[in-house]
Amino acid sequence: MSVMDKIKGMLKGHPDQTSKGIDKAGDMVDDRTQGKYSKHVDTAQDKLRDQFGGSGQDDRPPRS
């Protein structure tokens, strides 16, 4: 069993917490890079939500 399979197993059934974690990680990267790569971070967040089943942009304001 690979590490990704283990992570998917832990996150399965917790889409809200998964989405919050993905958002926090993306926001941290944006803060550290001063928004320089925000489009790339947004794309990565979307792909992670697709892969891990996060619910998405539920309570986040739109990015500018």
Side-chain angles (χ1 to χ4, degrees), residues 7-26:
I7 291 172
K8 285 181 185 180
M10 288 189 299
L11 297 176
K12 188 176 182 181
H14 305 284
D16 294 336
Q17 291 175 334
T18 301
S19 183
K20 286 180 185 179
I22 292 169
D23 289 339
K24 273 188 169 183

Side-chain angles (χ1 to χ4, degrees), residues 42-59:
D42 291 342
T43 302
Q45 286 175 318
D46 292 340
K47 288 184 180 187
L48 284 169
R49 281 191 195 95
D50 290 343
Q51 187 171 10
F52 293 119
S55 57
Q57 306 279 336
D58 292 342
D59 57 351

